[in-house]
Amino acid sequence: MTDSTPLPKSIATVSLSGTLPDKLEAAAAAGFDSVEIFEADLLSFDGTPRDVSRMASDLGIGISIFQPFRDFEGMEPAQLARNLTRAERKFDVMGELGTDLLLLCSNIQESTVNDQARAAADLSLLAERAGQRGFKIAYEALAWGRHVKFWRQAWDIIKRVDHPAFGLALDSFHTLALGDNLTGIGEVPGEKIFFMQLADAPRLTMDVLSWSRHYRNFPGQGDFDVAGFVRDALRAGYRGPLSLEIFNDEFRAGPPRPMALDALRSLIWVEAEAGHTKLPPAPVLGGFEFIEFAVDAPAAERLAAVLGTLGFELTGRHRSKAVNLYRQSEVNIVLNAEPDSSASEHFVRHGPSVCALALKVDQVAPTLARASALLSPTWAERTGPGEHRIPAVREPDGTLLYLVEPADAAAMWTQDFNLAPPAEPKPAASLNIDHIAQALTPGSMDRFVLFYRTLFGLTPEPTIEFADRFGLIRSRTMKSPNGNVRVVLNISESPATETARFVSEAAGPGVHHVAFATPDILTATQNARAAGLTALPIPANYYEDLAARFGLDDDTLAELEKRGILYDRDAHGDFRHAYTPSFSGRFFFELLERHGYQGYGASNAPIRLAAMARQRELGK
Amino acid sequence: MTDSTPLPKSIATVSLSGTLPDKLEAAAAAGFDSVEIFEADLLSFDGTPRDVSRMASDLGIGISIFQPFRDFEGMEPAQLARNLTRAERKFDVMGELGTDLLLLCSNIQESTVNDQARAAADLSLLAERAGQRGFKIAYEALAWGRHVKFWRQAWDIIKRVDHPAFGLALDSFHTLALGDNLTGIGEVPGEKIFFMQLADAPRLTMDVLSWSRHYRNFPGQGDFDVAGFVRDALRAGYRGPLSLEIFNDEFRAGPPRPMALDALRSLIWVEAEAGHTKLPPAPVLGGFEFIEFAVDAPAAERLAAVLGTLGFELTGRHRSKAVNLYRQSEVNIVLNAEPDSSASEHFVRHGPSVCALALKVDQVAPTLARASALLSPTWAERTGPGEHRIPAVREPDGTLLYLVEPADAAAMWTQDFNLAPPAEPKPAASLNIDHIAQALTPGSMDRFVLFYRTLFGLTPEPTIEFADRFGLIRSRTMKSPNGNVRVVLNISESPATETARFVSEAAGPGVHHVAFATPDILTATQNARAAGLTALPIPANYYEDLAARFGLDDDTLAELEKRGILYDRDAHGDFRHAYTPSFSGRFFFELLERHGYQGYGASNAPIRLAAMARQRELGK
């Protein structure tokens, strides 16, 4: 299929929080073409369906469908008669709403009979009534329907009904949750697919009803191949709306405006992933060009001292601003103490902390165009005359993400900074950025996954969990295809965990640590200690257990313990890492040596969290 | 089995939040005899195992077991050798901890072979090593063990090992989660059951590992027959500790001291339910004797006016305090504006709100004795000379729950109050208290369930969920066996829901509404309106849908809509109910007419929540 007109985008009102007007406004503001009116939202709304229609029309959005109608087919005759009366009442509502499409879910009642002919006969009556009034019915197989669970079963019945007012509704959740797919959809004429609902979800092992009601999320946030689903439906000729129907506990509690933006972003992305439209390409990432800390003068001095123990040297002073560059090997750390800047705003709110990251991208322009197409705002700091203007995008928590092409990087440093001559190389202790870790506010994991995945093509690794003394931490790593950029996202629902403290009002959002890879962690930690930095102290009990678990020899263990180095091993290799104490409770650094190992030392995270809690409690 | 000595009580450190010292102190303060040392807690502790032993000993508690040891049996020979070395290291730790028992979980590794003889041979080596050093191994079948999932499989292997240092660990979660039970445990000699771990859990349909790691709770809080499990183990002759091992996301985030009290309460209760010990009996409940609101003079006037519209009359004035009694039929509402009282403290903190409930109990003394045996503090308000002293217990949120015997009730009113002569009866509008509803702080549902269940014998009904505009509400009703007392517990994790607002700092904890049953809701609402009270307005769309759903005739519908009455129906009958607008956002009243219907109108709750949100936003 070649590039073609984007399909209309729709969202069910149940996917967003707030009143019905809040939901309509959020959907319209984000740029949706239409909404599905979810009946419960209408019932609790203090206005007529006609008022809803007028509101939508004033906002410039349509109403794609009214839903759900339930439990119709295969009931005993008296109930069938009541159901037809019930349908007429809903047609009345549809007339007022100004939509011609009603979503009908397959019957979940125990009393519905398992008889396709009977179901088809009942549904023919419904189709006839709908058709007479100019309405259409989109019939959807619920994954927990009593007899009709798969879209092919729904389609078999639709063929029997054989009425122009009766067609198919596809829903990616119901299909993919059952391990099914759209193989065979080619048999369905495109115009008989009346509607398509999309939802992603994490792959969970639980009853499908609870899974559906609590854990759906936007395409790109979960584990389902929603793009493949869309591709198959488009191949079959579907050209109706791509519509989101998301039941998610966190989304229900989140603010509707940013959620609606995420929603539309996910549809724009999945439509492109399905090959129907084209987005500017995601950049090829070369790692982090620099990491910028917001500081004031005293914090700058303290932080420069810590960086010094890790081998960083003051390499450049900005020509017009109170901004210094510290460099070790290829790693650039910028300390920004410029008043009246974005960094100073950040400092006032959060104290010393990471206020910006800079990604090395192969090309800036298409990356910005992609961000823009994906509804992500771009940004540029004011610059002095002749200075480099570095474009940026903003992460969901507001952290700036600068975009730098390799060709521009050197120019940027030389034009904007007075650079010192390069220091002698110290190969044994050379560093590069292995990964960064961000602590997220509760409820925002899916938002960050979507951001990194859609704008930058990072893919999420499986969610892991570990325990802090005051609650669980969930962790998910986003990784670029070439492995150059790895971002560990940590989140805690409990406000008392160390992770939650890193993200609280006091400590500021965003990056809580930067992990530097070194080819020789013994030397690196030795150098750091010689320069005055003591690694975060690790309890002796940990090393006792290491000995038991991994059978390390006594000399190795003694070395690790002496330097506060933690150890882990997986099927691919081993891993040594050590932490600096936290800087004013706001962030810290990690030194690591990696030999094939694929993880991030999560099994040691509880040890690190407890050690940091002790440090905090002792006021160190 | 006749009444006998209580078994020692133990708790795994993983069940409580905080540092290892926090956990030991909480367990000791609650009154536990011992703790299980969970290895992860030791590893992150900055002190030696000997320090832990000393700390426990100083606190007067023992260490019942060290756990878990894992993945031992059925591995290839080189790994077996490493595992034996690993075990010796753990024996060293046990020696320092001063415990002689190690918990070994059945192997979960893919590489472990399915061969009981081989497993037994490996475990014989382990048992021999343990025995030589004076230690014992309690072998536990994990529900997700690779080959050993059921306790009978573990027991078969233990019989083969046939070593005095090798015995069985039972765990109620692993057994009951698999739908298994202890049938056949009589075959196991009591002294070969080395240890017993207890956990309850809600009945969920999900993978057992996730279920176990996140949703366990204390006996009495879930759906398992933990008492039956204990009974069977005691019949088999087990006399070791009853020990809790609870993995629960909420408990991990909760404060350890109250959690440890709940923990011990649950064990004392389950031991009695199992028939091993006797508790003073739970009271036979006769309903609510009165409901007390903390007010000041202006709030008292406003609230008296609302009560007046529901047919309440000022029936008594307290002889020595600024406390008035309002009565309608048999329902007593007390408005307490007495300065320098428990109610005035409550008023200062929370504004006008329910500060106490009074339960009619058949006998006060055994109820207080039971509360005391279950570690619940009792309380008595200061009284004037010759006035009634009403004993009370405190709910987990601090709300006072007075206990009143029928014989004392009349005396209490006549002695303490100057009573007006009884008003003319108004049978058509007579009320009684159908239920009360409480909004709980996040994470406290299990605490309330345990409180009402253990002290008062209320049983929990299944959890239901409904949607507020800003998040989900979970609801669970606690009901006395005779149905006289019904308490609906509502909880919301999202702080923006109406339910969460009722429990926030401003609105105070506890009771957010009182539901009055009437034989004739039409008359009751008509009277209320005539007296100046307009019911909470319900949108017309709701009635459109009612017509479609239930086929009510137009006259009935018109009556319901005119009076703001909601409707529901279940297999047992139908239900009509209406709400007053909320009183300063703090509480409201419900009028209901019930005909066989078993529920509480949860399907209408979203309508009520949205209507209250509108009322709040309009500042009415």
Side-chain angles (χ1 to χ4, degrees):
Chain A
M1 181 179 304
T2 57
D3 195 4
S4 59
T5 317
L7 299 181
K9 308 294 188 301
S10 172
I11 185 167
T13 53
V14 71
S15 316
L16 300 171
S17 70
T19 62
L20 191 51
D22 290 339
K23 294 168 188 231
L24 296 182
E25 285 168 19
F32 278 95
D33 300 293
S34 60
V35 294
E36 304 181 28
I37 297 292
F38 190 71
E39 187 171 44
D41 286 317
L42 181 65
L43 298 190
S44 65
F45 173 64
D46 191 22
T48 65
R50 225 177 277 282
D51 293 336
V52 176
S53 174
R54 199 155 34 229
M55 230 166 22
S57 153
D58 289 349
L59 290 164
I61 52 171
I63 294 176
S64 54
I65 199 165
F66 179 54
Q67 68 119 324
F69 193 59
R70 293 184 186 281
D71 298 332
F72 183 88
E73 73 279 18
M75 307 297 274
E76 48 88 21
Q79 184 63 47
L80 174 61
R82 284 194 294 273
N83 284 348
L84 283 167
T85 308
R86 183 160 62 97
E88 295 282 2
R89 292 247 184 198
K90 298 304 166 189
F91 295 156
D92 295 343
V93 174
M94 291 167 66
E96 291 197 40
L97 280 176
T99 183
D100 66 349
L101 197 55
L102 178 68
L103 184 83
L104 171 67
C105 301
S106 61
N107 200 328
I108 63 169
Q109 297 299 316
E110 282 195 30
S111 50
T112 179
V113 297
N114 189 9
D115 178 345
Q116 287 206 347
R118 164 85 169 279
D122 294 351
L123 292 167
S124 296
L125 296 175
L126 181 66
E128 188 55 31
R129 300 270 191 117
Q132 278 166 9
R133 296 184 59 173
F135 298 129
K136 296 192 297 177
I137 312 281
Y139 183 50
E140 174 181 75
L142 289 187
W144 54 93
R146 182 82 181 152
H147 306 300
V148 176
K149 299 179 199 299
F150 294 93
W151 69 266
R152 288 178 203 84
Q153 295 172 305
W155 173 239
D156 285 343
I157 292 172
I158 293 163
K159 279 188 289 188
R160 285 175 187 254
V161 172
D162 189 23
H163 192 288
F166 200 73
L168 186 63
L170 293 174
D171 183 303
S172 63
F173 181 87
H174 292 294
T175 298
L176 302 175
L178 294 179
D180 193 20
N181 56 45
L182 291 187
T183 303
I185 195 73
E187 185 206 315
V188 184
E191 69 276 9
K192 287 301 277 187
I193 307 175
F194 282 5
F195 205 69
M196 183 156 71
Q197 293 178 317
L198 299 180
D200 202 342
R203 183 58 69 183
L204 299 173
T205 307
M206 65 192 305
D207 73 283
V208 69
L209 179 58
S210 303
W211 188 14
S212 170
R213 284 202 179 152
H214 301 289
Y215 298 99
R216 291 184 179 211
N217 52 16
F218 298 137
Q221 294 177 330
D223 297 326
F224 288 170
D225 180 15
V226 184
F229 186 90
V230 171
R231 190 181 305 119
D232 291 342
L234 293 179
R235 278 206 193 111
Y238 178 71
R239 287 297 180 275
L242 298 179
S243 193
L244 293 164
E245 188 198 29
I246 312 294
F247 304 89
N248 181 299
D249 293 357
E250 290 181 353
F251 296 6
R252 280 182 193 276
R257 293 294 182 103
M259 214 53 90
L261 270 176
D262 271 3
L264 189 53
R265 171 177 301 143
S266 79
L267 286 183
I268 293 168
W269 174 79
V270 83
E271 188 178 28
E273 292 287 304
H276 184 65
T277 50
K278 268 211 164 67
L279 283 172
V284 176
L285 297 176
F288 292 94
E289 179 60 35
F290 64 86
I291 292 173
E292 180 176 339
F293 289 82
V295 290
D296 60 3
E301 193 172 327
R302 272 201 300 140
L303 183 48
V306 172
L307 291 170
T309 66
L310 300 174
F312 284 83
E313 294 182 348
L314 176 58
T315 309
R317 294 175 188 277
H318 197 280
R319 294 183 194 277
S320 69
K321 299 179 188 170
V323 176
N324 286 341
L325 166 65
Y326 292 80
R327 186 173 280 173
Q328 209 275 34
S329 320
E330 302 295 312
V331 181
N332 297 310
I333 302 280
V334 170
L335 305 193
N336 190 335
E338 173 72 3
D340 193 24
S341 68
S342 163
S344 69
E345 274 175 44
H346 191 96
F347 183 83
V348 167
R349 279 187 12 245
H350 305 299
S353 51
V354 172
C355 62
L357 303 166
L359 284 175
K360 300 181 190 178
V361 298
D362 57 340
Q363 292 185 86
V364 167
T367 307
L368 285 173
R370 181 178 178 90
S372 196
L374 287 164
L375 314 174
S376 190
T378 57
W379 191 88
E381 174 75 282
R382 67 182 173 78
T383 47
E387 286 173 3
H388 247 77
R389 182 185 168 283
I390 319 174
V393 295
R394 279 198 187 274
E395 300 191 42
D397 68 358
T399 304
L400 282 173
L401 206 48
Y402 289 108
L403 307 172
V404 185
E405 289 180 21
D408 282 351
M412 172 183 78
W413 298 122
T414 51
Q415 278 178 35
D416 295 1
F417 286 79
N418 291 311
L419 292 178
E424 291 300 301
K426 304 178 190 165
S430 79
L431 301 182
N432 63 69
I433 296 175
D434 183 87
H435 64 276
I436 62 159
Q438 287 181 274
L440 310 182
T441 51
S444 66
M445 177 64 89
D446 279 344
R447 304 203 61 207
F448 274 81
V449 168
L450 189 72
F451 171 81
Y452 281 119
R453 189 171 195 178
T454 59
L455 267 69
F456 295 101
L458 272 55
T459 52
E461 301 191 347
T463 299
I464 51 179
E465 288 165 344
F466 45 86
D468 176 271
R469 303 184 315 184
F470 287 106
L472 274 198
I473 317 296
R474 280 184 304 125
S475 180
R476 204 165 188 200
T477 299
M478 305 294 302
K479 193 172 172 179
S480 66
N482 59 17
N484 287 337
V485 169
R486 289 183 282 203
V487 180
V488 177
L489 303 174
N490 291 326
I491 199 161
S492 154
E493 302 300 326
S494 163
T497 61
E498 294 305 304
T499 298
R501 288 172 192 275
F502 280 121
V503 82
S504 69
E505 195 60 38
V511 178
H512 67 62
H513 87 262
V514 179
F516 298 120
T518 164
D520 179 357
I521 194 169
L522 285 182
T523 302
T525 50
Q526 206 161 4
N527 291 349
R529 167 167 300 204
L533 181 78
T534 306
L536 186 72
I538 302 301
N541 297 327
Y542 170 79
Y543 294 97
E544 277 296 314
D545 179 59
L546 265 197
R549 276 198 293 157
F550 295 112
L552 301 178
D553 64 68
D554 289 349
D555 286 355
T556 303
L557 270 173
E559 278 282 15
L560 296 180
E561 182 165 4
K562 185 171 146 199
R563 303 185 195 291
I565 298 173
L566 299 126
Y567 181 88
D568 196 20
R569 193 189 287 163
D570 67 11
H572 310 283
D574 68 3
F575 187 62
R576 290 167 178 76
H577 58 145
Y579 297 98
T580 68
S582 88
F583 190 92
S584 303
R586 279 154 170 80
F587 58 84
F588 55 96
F589 299 104
E590 179 179 3
L591 289 169
L592 64 84
E593 183 182 335
R594 190 188 272 284
H595 296 283
Y597 176 89
Q598 298 295 302
Y600 305 87
S603 67
N604 294 324
I607 305 292
R608 191 257 297 166
L609 291 164
M612 294 200 150
R614 268 193 301 277
Q615 181 205 357
R616 181 173 48 72
E617 285 157 8
L618 293 172
K620 280 185 191 166
Chain B
M1 185 177 302
T2 57
D3 193 6
S4 59
T5 317
L7 297 181
K9 308 293 188 300
S10 172
I11 185 167
T13 52
V14 72
S15 316
L16 301 170
S17 70
T19 62
L20 191 51
D22 291 339
K23 293 168 188 228
L24 296 182
E25 284 168 19
F32 277 95
D33 301 293
S34 60
V35 294
E36 304 181 28
I37 297 293
F38 190 69
E39 186 171 43
D41 286 317
L42 182 65
L43 298 190
S44 66
F45 173 64
D46 190 21
T48 65
R50 225 177 277 282
D51 294 336
V52 176
S53 174
R54 199 156 31 228
M55 231 168 19
S57 152
D58 289 350
L59 290 164
I61 51 171
I63 295 176
S64 54
I65 200 166
F66 180 56
Q67 68 118 326
F69 193 59
R70 291 184 186 281
D71 298 333
F72 183 89
E73 73 280 16
M75 308 297 273
E76 48 89 22
Q79 185 63 46
L80 174 61
R82 284 195 294 273
N83 284 348
L84 283 167
T85 309
R86 183 161 61 97
E88 294 284 0
R89 292 246 183 200
K90 298 304 168 189
F91 294 156
D92 295 343
V93 174
M94 290 167 66
E96 290 196 40
L97 280 176
T99 183
D100 65 350
L101 198 55
L102 179 67
L103 184 83
L104 171 67
C105 300
S106 60
N107 201 328
I108 63 169
Q109 297 298 317
E110 283 195 29
S111 51
T112 180
V113 297
N114 190 7
D115 179 344
Q116 286 206 348
R118 165 84 170 279
D122 294 351
L123 292 167
S124 295
L125 296 175
L126 181 66
E128 189 54 33
R129 300 269 192 119
Q132 276 166 12
R133 297 184 58 172
F135 298 130
K136 296 192 297 176
I137 311 282
Y139 183 51
E140 175 181 73
L142 289 187
W144 54 92
R146 183 80 182 154
H147 305 300
V148 176
K149 299 178 199 300
F150 294 94
W151 68 266
R152 288 178 203 83
Q153 296 172 303
W155 172 237
D156 285 342
I157 292 173
I158 293 163
K159 278 188 289 188
R160 285 175 187 256
V161 172
D162 190 23
H163 192 287
F166 200 73
L168 186 62
L170 294 173
D171 182 303
S172 62
F173 182 87
H174 291 294
T175 298
L176 302 175
L178 294 178
D180 192 21
N181 56 44
L182 290 187
T183 303
I185 194 72
E187 186 205 313
V188 184
E191 69 277 8
K192 287 301 277 187
I193 309 174
F194 282 5
F195 205 69
M196 183 156 71
Q197 292 178 317
L198 299 180
D200 203 342
R203 182 60 67 183
L204 300 172
T205 307
M206 65 192 306
D207 73 284
V208 68
L209 179 59
S210 304
W211 189 13
S212 171
R213 285 204 178 149
H214 300 290
Y215 297 100
R216 291 184 180 209
N217 52 16
F218 298 138
Q221 293 177 330
D223 297 327
F224 288 170
D225 180 15
V226 184
F229 187 89
V230 171
R231 190 181 306 118
D232 292 342
L234 292 179
R235 279 208 191 111
Y238 178 71
R239 288 295 179 278
L242 298 179
S243 192
L244 293 164
E245 189 198 29
I246 311 295
F247 304 89
N248 181 298
D249 292 358
E250 291 181 352
F251 296 6
R252 278 181 194 279
R257 294 294 182 105
M259 215 52 92
L261 271 176
D262 271 5
L264 189 53
R265 172 178 300 142
S266 79
L267 286 183
I268 293 168
W269 175 78
V270 82
E271 188 178 29
E273 291 286 304
H276 184 65
T277 50
K278 269 210 165 66
L279 283 173
V284 176
L285 297 176
F288 292 94
E289 179 59 36
F290 64 87
I291 291 174
E292 180 175 337
F293 289 81
V295 289
D296 61 2
E301 194 172 328
R302 273 202 300 140
L303 183 48
V306 172
L307 290 170
T309 66
L310 300 175
F312 284 83
E313 294 182 349
L314 176 58
T315 309
R317 294 176 188 275
H318 196 280
R319 295 182 194 277
S320 69
K321 301 180 189 170
V323 176
N324 285 341
L325 166 65
Y326 292 81
R327 186 173 281 172
Q328 208 273 34
S329 319
E330 302 294 313
V331 181
N332 298 308
I333 301 280
V334 170
L335 304 194
N336 189 336
E338 173 72 3
D340 192 25
S341 68
S342 162
S344 68
E345 274 175 46
H346 192 96
F347 183 83
V348 168
R349 280 185 13 241
H350 305 299
S353 50
V354 172
C355 60
L357 302 166
L359 283 175
K360 300 181 189 177
V361 298
D362 57 341
Q363 293 184 84
V364 167
T367 307
L368 285 174
R370 182 178 177 89
S372 196
L374 287 164
L375 314 175
S376 189
T378 58
W379 190 88
E381 173 76 282
R382 68 180 172 79
T383 47
E387 284 173 7
H388 246 77
R389 182 184 167 282
I390 319 175
V393 295
R394 278 198 188 275
E395 298 191 43
D397 68 357
T399 303
L400 282 173
L401 205 49
Y402 289 108
L403 307 172
V404 185
E405 289 180 21
D408 281 351
M412 171 184 77
W413 298 123
T414 51
Q415 279 177 34
D416 295 0
F417 286 79
N418 291 311
L419 291 177
E424 289 300 301
K426 302 177 190 165
S430 79
L431 302 182
N432 62 68
I433 296 176
D434 184 86
H435 65 275
I436 62 160
Q438 287 180 273
L440 310 183
T441 51
S444 66
M445 177 63 91
D446 279 344
R447 304 202 60 206
F448 274 81
V449 168
L450 190 71
F451 171 82
Y452 280 119
R453 188 170 195 179
T454 59
L455 267 69
F456 295 102
L458 271 56
T459 52
E461 301 190 348
T463 299
I464 52 180
E465 288 165 344
F466 46 86
D468 177 271
R469 302 183 318 184
F470 287 106
L472 274 198
I473 317 295
R474 281 185 301 125
S475 180
R476 204 166 189 198
T477 299
M478 304 295 301
K479 192 172 173 181
S480 65
N482 59 18
N484 288 337
V485 170
R486 289 182 282 203
V487 180
V488 177
L489 303 174
N490 291 326
I491 199 161
S492 154
E493 303 299 325
S494 163
T497 61
E498 294 303 305
T499 297
R501 287 171 193 274
F502 280 120
V503 82
S504 69
E505 194 60 39
V511 178
H512 67 61
H513 87 263
V514 178
F516 298 120
T518 162
D520 179 357
I521 195 169
L522 286 182
T523 303
T525 50
Q526 206 161 5
N527 291 349
R529 168 168 298 205
L533 180 78
T534 306
L536 185 73
I538 303 300
N541 298 327
Y542 170 78
Y543 295 98
E544 277 297 315
D545 179 59
L546 264 196
R549 275 198 293 157
F550 295 111
L552 300 178
D553 64 68
D554 289 349
D555 287 355
T556 303
L557 271 173
E559 278 281 17
L560 296 180
E561 182 165 6
K562 184 171 144 198
R563 305 185 194 291
I565 297 172
L566 300 125
Y567 181 87
D568 196 20
R569 194 190 285 162
D570 66 11
H572 309 283
D574 68 3
F575 186 62
R576 290 166 176 79
H577 58 144
Y579 297 97
T580 68
S582 87
F583 189 91
S584 303
R586 280 154 169 81
F587 58 85
F588 55 96
F589 299 103
E590 179 179 3
L591 289 168
L592 64 85
E593 182 182 335
R594 190 186 272 285
H595 295 283
Y597 176 88
Q598 299 294 303
Y600 305 87
S603 67
N604 293 325
I607 306 292
R608 191 256 296 166
L609 291 164
M612 293 200 151
R614 269 194 300 278
Q615 181 204 358
R616 182 172 47 73
E617 285 156 8
L618 294 171
K620 278 184 190 167

